Amino acid sequence: MTQRYKATLEYDGRGFVGWQVQTNGKSIQHEVERALGVLNRGPVRVTASGRTDAGVHALAQVIHFDFKTPFEARKLRHGFNGLADQRISMIGLEPVDAAFDAQLSARSKLYRYTILNRYDHSPLLGAISWHVREQLDSEAMRNAARHLVGKHDFNAFKAADSCARTSERTVIEITLQNQGELLLIEVLGAGFLKHMVRNIVGSLVMVGTGKQQPDWVKQVLQGRDRTKAGPTAPPQGLALVRVDY
């Protein structure tokens, strides 16, 4: 009797080529399937809510997989954590109906980007943040972000090698929160294009440093030209925080 499971993973994306299995290095998907395959005594195919890029972290990536025989959830989770790369941890697990699909059943996702905004670098925070030395005007960045909320064509904010069939996406909310020297940018959306959040952050930083005005973001969005937007923010500042079903 096959049993489907829904699992929540936390992982440090450093040193991985991203979520998806690739030929040029170690992927998170490969490592997860390897550990689960040992427990299942046979190959296991895992489906995630979405792909994270190389170097991007996750606080709560959701996956589903099928086991050929039911397994006690607590033992399965603990067994996985003992076998998998220690940069990956299964922090939640439950049996679900076979109709559940980690990708297709998802309604929205929340990503958080962390910026360390001070002159000196941080040996500790550097692994999970983008170090921006110039003082950022977070209020100007908030005003710019408002132009991106709603259903739009985000062609200007997708990766050049994106193979998505359409660049139309819906951003539900963008919030910016100052926590001392940290600036947290959270983007809630129904779905995202490759590098979309990082490109949004890069453009908001252009506004925050005074290189562009808030209305410039609206012009970039409407122009649908990637070359007119800001740079792609580095991957280590980004984390998948939540997937809603």
Side-chain angles (χ1 to χ4, degrees):
M1 176 184 174
T2 300
Q3 175 63 58
R4 176 158 295 187
Y5 291 92
K6 172 189 176 185
T8 303
L9 303 177
E10 178 181 324
Y11 53 79
D12 178 349
R14 290 176 297 169
F16 292 102
V17 294
W19 166 264
Q20 188 178 21
V21 171
Q22 298 177 48
T23 58
N24 62 334
K26 187 176 183 179
S27 71
I28 298 164
Q29 180 184 5
H30 177 270
E31 179 60 17
V32 170
E33 291 180 345
R34 181 197 63 78
L36 289 174
V38 173
L39 296 167
N40 191 48
R41 297 182 181 179
V44 176
R45 181 68 174 175
V46 169
T47 298
S49 67
R51 305 170 185 173
T52 51
D53 299 327
V56 173
H57 314 301
L59 299 176
Q61 168 72 282
V62 178
I63 65 171
H64 82 253
F65 57 89
D66 297 327
F67 258 34
K68 57 187 178 184
T69 56
F71 211 113
E72 185 181 342
R74 181 181 61 84
K75 290 183 179 180
L76 177 52
R77 192 179 75 183
H78 292 174
F80 173 88
N81 287 336
L83 290 167
D85 186 301
Q86 290 304 290
R87 290 170 293 178
I88 305 171
S89 179
M90 185 179 289
I91 60 174
L93 180 70
E94 61 180 307
V96 290
D97 186 88
F100 175 80
D101 188 293
Q103 181 181 26
L104 300 179
S105 301
R107 294 186 295 107
S108 62
K109 299 173 189 174
L110 177 67
Y111 279 92
R112 177 185 300 144
Y113 198 94
T114 302
I115 295 175
L116 174 64
N117 191 206
R118 72 183 193 193
Y119 186 80
D120 300 300
H121 78 284
S122 169
L124 297 177
L125 296 175
I128 57 169
S129 66
W130 179 15
H131 179 210
V132 178
R133 284 192 166 92
E134 298 173 79
Q135 186 61 42
L136 294 173
D137 183 343
S138 56
E139 191 55 37
M141 295 170 72
R142 288 186 184 92
N143 290 334
R146 293 189 182 103
H147 296 300
L148 302 173
V149 176
K151 188 175 184 180
H152 302 289
D153 183 338
F154 283 93
N155 193 71
F157 297 95
K158 72 177 184 180
D161 62 348
S162 172
C163 57
R165 287 176 294 178
T166 174
S167 52
E168 191 174 84
R169 295 292 186 273
T170 300
V171 171
I172 300 168
E173 185 179 35
I174 301 179
T175 61
L176 286 81
Q177 182 180 3
N178 295 95
Q179 290 188 358
E181 296 171 325
L182 297 178
L183 175 60
L184 308 181
I185 303 174
E186 293 193 342
V187 185
L188 177 65
F192 296 93
L193 298 161
K194 184 178 181 181
H195 293 178
M196 178 175 159
V197 175
R198 291 165 57 194
N199 290 337
I200 286 174
V201 170
S203 297
L204 293 181
V205 167
M206 292 283 285
V207 173
T209 56
K211 295 180 176 69
Q212 298 290 350
Q213 295 300 308
D215 285 348
W216 167 77
V217 169
K218 181 179 181 180
Q219 296 169 13
V220 170
L221 178 69
Q222 293 176 340
R224 299 189 293 277
D225 184 347
R226 173 68 191 102
T227 65
K228 302 299 183 182
T232 304
Q236 75 275 5
L238 185 62
L240 175 59
V241 175
R242 190 182 77 228
V243 184
D244 300 315
Y245 292 92

